């Protein structure tokens, strides 16, 4: 059904071992996120918001509990299935952009498509469309070090979009940007949720950034605060 | 699917300082590897290029080389009148009884003295070796204490020019000509008259007999006859086969090439490993990003192994180019059978270069395997948090 949650998190626990100590990062979190929502995960450092994002995106495994994304229990996938699942279903945006420095903007955006069966011409069309969407068609052949921080983050968003995933996860996407670039990036993410049917989950410390979302979830000590 | 090759190439270029050091290190290893093998190949070619398939060389049974062989005059006379022996237009049997002796001569570069192989031979012996030609002066005349030296030997020994002398036992031989052995073992010899050689060195016996049978059937009969005749105690084989077996000198060089190659390649593997570990360390976040985007551990391993192989392969190509500088270079070494100086040319052949490149790629792959596995095993989240 259209309004079924795209993400269903139930009793999620994540415990890290640090020396002889067990550190509880998430302590029984349950949350539903509907399609096309733009959810901001907020909270102080160590509250577990990034851990929650990583578990939803399938780049970490929970200690207990379930994460269903589009009905798939992410924790049950093996390493290789998880890699394929991430490639097809999740787009990632990082605080530090995480572009490959030796590749151009175009080549960076094309990377996730190299894992698909698409022909070269189809890949080219999709990359150009994604870069057009973030307003960077004219800079596609520049390497990351030839782009501003805001432009690099827009390339990263294009890379996150290019496989047309249902879910976009963003970890502090404006953390390294000036106010103007941060606003541009937030408008793009907002438009993705509003007009392109994407579900966006974003970790942020910045209330201004969170204000672009449809909902904010506050975490404290590994639990969702009331 | 693998990452595009340009990703590897650009990473190699971006880290050009460490890449260059690895490339040069591997180039040096490959160059030494190829040059040593080229040396062995040159020595083998020198032996392999010697002789005429129509000739039969006869030495004492049990002798591995002419220099250690003795053939009596009586045996020579027996062979001389065998019906299988060809005759020239003057109806003379085409057979040459030869004497091999060693003399010492000073090297041109002042690095002491070395043995030189003197071959005493008859005019028939010269007819039997058409690959040898006179390039300067004239041939020796019997009874005049004259010798002709190979021009390659002349480049290595002092006083071997036309007009110079060779000290030979109690006397000296005047050098009246220089010959070219056409890249054969004769390039390491000096020739004089056989009877004169026996007289100077007080030899009652010959070292070997070179003979031209009438035809192929006669050749087979002659070899069989000599081998089976219990009175002769001689061994006969085609001249070309005899020289093809004289590759003992190349063997120690091949062993040294292999040992040195192994030792140096171990160093090169560590150099490549060091470069690739540094590369993995500086690209930890990149690796994390690739994993997040869906690239498998196997792809990451392949990526770094390909990169190591590329880097080393490039080093191998540079090594090949360096080794080519030695191609055709004429050098001398001790012949472990005759203990005389043997002259040869380095032969850097395409198959050796191909072997060198394959060797370098193997070094690169071996050196990058552990760093690649380390890269693939990095936990994704901690890789993403790397500086």
């Amino acid at each position: 059904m259209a309004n079924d949650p795209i993400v269903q998190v139930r009793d999620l626990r994540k415990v890290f071992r640090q020396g002889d100590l067990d550190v509880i990062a998430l302590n029984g979190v349950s949350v539903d996120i509907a399609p096309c929502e733009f959810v901001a995960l907020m909270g102080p450092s160590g509250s577990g918001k990034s851990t929650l994002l990583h578990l939803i995106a399938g780049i970490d495994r929970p200690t207990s509990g379930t994460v269903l994304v589009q009905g798939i229990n992410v924790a049950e996938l093996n390493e290789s299935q998880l890699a394929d699942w991430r490639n097809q279903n999740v787009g990632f945006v990082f605080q530090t952009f995480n572009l490959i420095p030796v590749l151009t903007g175009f080549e960076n955006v094309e990377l996730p498509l190299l894992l698909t069966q698409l022909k070269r011409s189809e890949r080219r069309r999709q990359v150009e469309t994604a870069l057009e969407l973030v307003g960077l068609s004219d800079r596609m052949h520049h390497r990351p070090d030839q782009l501003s921080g805001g432009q690099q983050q827009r390339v990263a968003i294009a890379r996150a979009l290019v496989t047309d995933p249902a879910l976009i996860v963003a970890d502090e996407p404006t953390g390294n940007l000036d106010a103007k670039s941060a606003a541009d990036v937030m408008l793009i993410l907002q438009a993705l949720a509003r007009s392109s049917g994407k579900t966006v989950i974003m970790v942020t410390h910045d209330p201004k950034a969170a204000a672009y979302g449809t909902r904010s979830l506050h975490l404290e000590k590994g639990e969702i605060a009331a | 699917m693998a990452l595009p090759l340009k990703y590897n190439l650009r990473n190699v270029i971006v880290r050009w300082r460490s890449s260059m050091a690895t490339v040069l290190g591997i180039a040096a290893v490959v160059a030494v590897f190829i040059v040593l093998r080229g040396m062995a190949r040159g020595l083998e070619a020198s032996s392999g290029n010697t002789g005429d398939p129509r000739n039969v060389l006869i030495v004492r049974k049990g002798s591995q080389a002419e220099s250690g062989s003795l053939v009596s005059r009586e045996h020579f006379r027996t062979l001389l009148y065998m019906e299988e022996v060809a005759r020239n237009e003057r109806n003379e049997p085409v057979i040459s009884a030869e004497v091999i002796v060693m003399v010492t001569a000073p090297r041109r570069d002042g690095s002491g003295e070395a043995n030189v192989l003197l071959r005493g031979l008859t005019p028939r012996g010269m007819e039997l070796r058409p690959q040898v030609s006179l390039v300067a002066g004239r041939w020796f005349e019997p009874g005049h204490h004259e010798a002709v030296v190979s021009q390659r030997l002349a480049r290595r020994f002092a006083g071997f020019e036309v007009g110079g002398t060779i000290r030979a036992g109690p006397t000296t031989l005047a050098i009246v000509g220089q010959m070219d052995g056409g890249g054969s073992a004769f390039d390491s010899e000096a020739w004089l008259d056989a009877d004169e050689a026996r007289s100077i060195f007080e030899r009652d016996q010959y070292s070997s007999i070179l003979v031209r049978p009438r035809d192929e059937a006669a050749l087979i009969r002659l070899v069989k006859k000599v081998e089976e005749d219990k009175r002769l105690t001689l061994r006969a084989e085609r001249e070309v086969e005899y020289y093809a077996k004289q590759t003992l000198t190349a063997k120690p060089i091949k062993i040294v090439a292999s040992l040195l190659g192994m030792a140096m390649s171990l160093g090169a593997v560590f150099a490549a490993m060091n470069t690739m570990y540094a590369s993995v360390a500086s690209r930890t976040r990149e690796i994390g990003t690739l994993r997040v985007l869906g690239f498998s551990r196997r792809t990451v391993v392949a990526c770094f192994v390909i990169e190591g192989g590329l880097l080393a392969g490039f080093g191998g190509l540079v090594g090949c180019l360096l080794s080519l500088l030695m191609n055709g270079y004429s050098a001398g070494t001790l012949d472990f059978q005759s203990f005389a100086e043997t002259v040869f040319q380095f032969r850097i052949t395409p198959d050796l270069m191909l072997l060198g490149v394959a060797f370098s790629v193997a070094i690169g792959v071996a050196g990058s395997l552990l760093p690649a596995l380390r890269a693939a095993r990095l936990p994704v989240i901690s890789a993403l948090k790397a500086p």
Side-chain angles (χ1 to χ4, degrees):
Chain A
M1 294 212 311
N3 285 332
D4 280 351
I6 184 169
V7 177
Q8 290 175 289
V9 175
R10 291 290 174 270
D11 298 324
L12 201 61
R13 271 174 63 80
K14 178 71 185 179
V15 180
F16 292 107
R17 188 95 183 147
Q18 274 187 352
D20 293 336
L21 287 176
D22 281 341
V23 178
I24 300 170
L26 287 178
N27 190 17
V29 169
S30 295
V31 66
D32 285 351
I33 296 170
C36 305
E37 261 199 290
F38 182 177
V39 176
L41 298 178
M42 298 191 73
S45 292
S47 60
K49 54 190 188 302
S50 287
T51 304
L52 178 59
L53 189 79
H54 294 154
L55 293 172
I56 292 171
I59 54 177
D60 201 359
R61 290 179 184 277
T63 307
S64 64
T66 56
V67 177
L68 295 178
V69 179
Q70 293 178 305
I72 292 170
N73 190 348
V74 177
E76 284 180 353
L77 301 177
N78 65 29
E79 193 73 37
S80 156
Q81 291 168 328
L82 207 52
D84 289 344
W85 177 82
R86 281 197 302 265
N87 177 256
Q88 290 155 21
N89 297 285
V90 189
F92 292 86
V93 181
F94 303 95
Q95 179 179 355
T96 47
F97 323 133
N98 289 35
L99 299 175
I100 307 298
V102 296
L103 299 181
T104 64
F106 181 95
E107 290 160 349
N108 265 288
V109 176
E110 193 187 21
L111 270 179
L113 294 180
L114 296 177
L115 294 165
T116 66
Q117 303 297 319
L118 291 177
K119 288 183 192 154
R120 193 190 177 97
S121 58
E122 290 170 321
R123 290 204 303 266
R124 180 170 194 86
R125 192 171 43 75
Q126 277 188 229
V127 171
E128 284 171 354
T129 305
L131 281 165
E132 204 174 307
L133 210 69
V134 297
L136 270 182
S137 297
D138 56 334
R139 312 285 285 177
M140 66 169 79
H141 297 302
H142 289 65
R143 282 198 316 271
D145 61 356
Q146 296 166 320
L147 300 171
S148 68
Q151 287 169 331
Q152 287 186 57
Q153 194 60 299
R154 282 192 277 158
V155 172
I157 293 172
R159 182 179 65 188
L161 283 177
V162 77
T163 52
D164 194 24
L167 190 62
I168 303 244
V169 296
D171 196 353
E172 301 267 14
T174 57
N176 278 8
L177 300 179
D178 60 65
K180 167 77 174 65
S181 300
D184 289 345
V185 164
M186 291 317 301
L187 283 172
I188 293 170
L189 291 176
Q190 191 179 53
L192 289 175
R194 277 188 184 165
S195 327
S196 304
K198 307 289 177 205
T199 304
V200 181
I201 307 175
M202 172 182 73
V203 164
T204 184
H205 279 109
D206 181 5
K208 280 188 205 159
Y212 286 87
T214 51
R215 178 160 62 123
S216 291
L217 288 173
H218 289 265
L219 279 98
E220 267 178 41
K221 295 179 182 170
E223 293 175 5
I224 292 180
Chain B
M1 184 172 174
L3 282 155
L5 214 54
K6 60 190 166 195
Y7 170 69
N8 301 109
L9 279 173
R10 287 181 202 166
N11 270 308
V12 166
I13 293 165
V14 162
R15 268 168 277 275
W16 68 271
R17 280 191 186 87
S18 63
S19 298
M20 186 79 90
T22 309
V23 163
L24 290 179
I26 290 172
V29 171
V30 170
V32 169
F33 176 80
I34 296 177
V35 164
L36 279 172
R37 282 181 178 268
M39 185 177 173
R41 193 63 69 85
L43 279 162
E44 284 173 342
S46 166
S47 293
N49 190 29
T50 307
D52 188 315
R54 295 169 300 170
N55 294 348
V56 170
L57 186 77
I58 299 167
V59 292
R60 187 182 63 176
K61 207 159 239 165
S63 293
Q64 295 304 311
E66 282 180 282
S67 54
S69 160
L70 291 172
V71 180
S72 69
R73 289 156 74 184
E74 186 192 342
H75 287 164
F76 172 54
R77 273 196 300 276
T78 306
L79 293 163
L80 189 63
Y81 297 111
M82 280 187 174
E83 60 176 359
E84 286 82 6
V85 178
R87 291 187 171 262
N88 62 14
E89 61 280 6
R90 296 182 298 278
N91 202 30
E92 298 162 324
V94 187
I95 184 165
S96 175
E98 306 187 347
V99 180
I100 303 290
V101 277
M102 223 58 71
V103 294
T104 54
R107 283 204 175 100
R108 200 174 276 280
D109 60 8
S111 61
E113 292 190 326
N115 286 341
V116 172
L117 192 146
L118 272 185
R119 180 183 293 276
L121 76 173
T122 63
R124 299 296 86 70
M126 286 147 80
E127 280 172 33
L128 284 162
R129 294 179 175 91
Q131 72 188 118
V132 179
S133 57
L134 191 73
V135 289
R138 59 172 174 81
W139 286 111
F140 56 82
E141 281 182 20
H144 288 78
H145 283 204
E146 290 174 349
V148 169
V149 298
S150 94
Q151 60 176 354
R152 286 199 188 155
L153 217 50
R155 285 189 208 117
R156 301 186 58 78
F157 286 91
F160 271 28
E161 51 282 336
V162 176
T165 55
I166 303 179
R167 207 174 63 236
T171 186
T172 51
L173 300 171
I175 296 170
V176 294
Q178 285 185 351
M179 61 188 185
D180 179 10
S184 69
F186 304 127
D187 276 326
S188 304
E189 297 184 357
W191 287 1
L192 74 161
D193 177 66
D195 288 330
E196 203 165 18
R198 281 201 309 117
S199 153
I200 293 171
F201 295 97
E202 296 176 348
R203 291 278 181 95
D204 195 35
Q205 295 176 309
Y206 298 105
S207 302
S208 63
I209 312 288
L210 187 64
V211 57
R212 168 81 49 86
R214 289 178 192 280
D215 49 33
E216 181 63 21
L219 186 147
I220 294 164
R221 273 202 314 279
L222 178 71
V223 169
K224 196 164 181 274
K225 220 171 184 175
V226 170
E227 292 279 335
E228 288 177 354
D229 192 332
K230 295 228 172 357
R231 291 168 304 160
L232 289 175
T233 61
L234 296 174
R235 182 167 66 90
E237 65 184 323
R238 278 181 208 268
E239 187 188 18
V240 286
E241 285 169 6
Y242 167 83
Y243 279 103
K245 287 178 190 164
Q246 302 295 303
T247 53
L248 194 66
T249 304
K251 274 185 190 161
I253 292 163
K254 275 183 168 174
I255 293 169
V256 168
S258 300
L259 289 177
L260 205 65
M262 267 198 286
M264 288 180 74
S265 63
L266 207 64
V269 164
F270 281 112
M273 203 181 278
N274 194 36
T275 304
M276 295 311 292
Y277 266 129
S279 189
V280 168
S282 65
R283 281 150 72 184
T284 303
R285 202 163 65 189
E286 251 176 74
I287 295 162
T289 306
L290 291 171
R291 296 287 314 284
V292 164
L293 294 180
F295 287 93
S296 64
R297 284 178 198 270
R298 213 171 4 182
T299 306
V300 172
V301 170
C303 167
F304 280 91
V305 168
I306 288 170
E307 196 166 312
L310 265 176
L311 194 63
F314 187 62
L317 286 176
V318 175
C320 284
L321 292 177
L322 285 175
S323 70
L324 269 181
L325 296 173
M326 289 297 285
N327 192 29
Y329 178 75
S330 192
T333 187
L334 183 72
D335 181 330
F336 288 98
Q337 271 158 332
S338 66
F339 294 101
E341 181 100 336
T342 181
V343 184
F344 65 94
Q345 279 187 311
F346 283 84
R347 288 170 68 99
I348 311 298
T349 51
D351 64 317
L352 272 186
M353 291 199 280
L354 206 64
L355 189 69
V357 172
F359 178 53
S360 67
V361 172
I363 288 173
V365 169
S368 54
L369 202 58
L370 285 178
L373 288 171
R374 180 181 176 168
R377 285 184 188 141
L378 285 170
V380 176
I381 292 175
S382 48
L384 286 172
K385 287 176 184 166

